[in-house]
Amino acid sequence: MARSAPVPGGSTKTHKPRPTLRQIFSTSRQIFYACFFILWFCIDVAELGLVSEQIHKYGGRESVNWPTGKYGHAIGLLLFSTIIGLLFGIFHWFVGLTMYLPIFLAMGVWFGTGAGILEETPFGHGLQCKHKNDPSRFPEAFRPYLSECSRITAMEGLAWAMFALSVIGFFFAFFDKFSLTAKRSIVYESLAEEGHAEIPEKH
């Protein structure tokens, strides 16, 4: 007996059950990535707020508004880095694990460069802030910015923190991607966790 032709649109679609929160964060690997990017997001937003406040206050297009041109470029670099870092922190689960490596590498270079330039300023170590009532201790170019000493020190500290997170993320993603026990492309994939989970066989 011949089978009737299937009616267009009449076939039933199989819906995959949505993963629960417990399934998504059921392994130590997934918990690490979740905590890592929550910390990444919080520090990046704090840095973005401080940098944006400085640019809004002094202006970002005119180099004469900054103590030195190098300092102004560092503020611009940190603004760019924090915006990219924010987008990466929000949409990191859409990015393959292989792309984490160049992203973390670039972030480390950008944040490290910005933090290094701020550290070269008279406000870099923060210990000088207690002397801001004595302008003679500071170069003339930085004297109009003595009130910003604590904010500049905070920006530098947060930039170094983002640099450290970028380095940690780079090496963790590298060993996670090229592990001999399991090679995974999805961050929150629970299969083959540390080589102990059983991968279903294909029939």
Side-chain angles (χ1 to χ4, degrees):
M1 186 176 181
R3 295 182 179 180
S4 58
V7 179
S11 59
T12 59
K13 296 181 180 180
T14 58
H15 297 279
K16 294 182 179 180
R18 293 182 178 179
T20 62
L21 190 63
R22 184 176 181 181
Q23 292 175 338
I24 294 177
F25 305 112
S26 60
T27 65
S28 58
R29 173 176 177 265
Q30 296 167 343
I31 293 174
F32 172 83
Y33 276 116
C35 294
F36 177 89
F37 279 106
I38 290 174
L39 182 61
W40 175 281
F41 178 83
C42 293
I43 296 177
D44 187 83
V45 169
E47 179 78 337
L48 178 59
L50 288 173
V51 173
S52 300
E53 187 268 344
Q54 290 293 296
I55 294 178
H56 178 73
K57 188 173 183 179
Y58 295 103
R61 296 183 179 181
E62 299 294 335
S63 59
V64 295
N65 295 335
W66 304 109
T68 63
K70 189 176 181 180
Y71 177 87
H73 292 315
I75 296 296
L77 176 61
L78 288 177
L79 177 65
F80 172 79
S81 303
T82 50
I83 293 175
I84 300 299
L86 179 63
L87 295 175
F88 178 51
I90 295 175
F91 301 106
H92 69 274
W93 58 79
F94 291 111
V95 183
L97 193 58
T98 305
M99 288 299 299
Y100 277 33
L101 301 178
I103 293 175
F104 278 131
L105 182 61
M107 289 292 175
V109 173
W110 295 338
F111 280 110
T113 302
I117 294 176
L118 293 184
E119 188 173 0
E120 293 178 355
T121 67
F123 310 135
H125 299 285
L127 300 177
Q128 299 91 328
C129 292
K130 61 183 179 181
H131 303 299
K132 63 182 181 180
N133 293 328
D134 184 7
S136 62
R137 290 176 173 265
F138 299 88
E140 185 177 357
F142 286 89
R143 290 175 186 174
Y145 303 90
L146 292 179
S147 61
E148 308 295 338
C149 183
S150 59
R151 291 183 177 88
I152 296 173
T153 304
M155 286 191 298
E156 180 201 344
L158 292 173
W160 280 127
M162 292 298 295
F163 169 78
L165 286 179
S166 299
V167 173
I168 294 172
F170 176 83
F171 282 105
F172 187 87
F174 179 85
F175 288 113
D176 188 27
K177 175 62 180 178
F178 299 103
S179 173
L180 296 178
T181 56
K183 293 184 178 180
R184 295 150 293 202
S185 296
I186 304 175
V187 169
Y188 296 107
E189 183 181 2
S190 60
L191 295 178
E193 171 65 19
E194 298 179 358
H196 299 297
E198 295 181 0
I199 301 178
E201 297 180 358
K202 296 181 179 179
H203 297 285

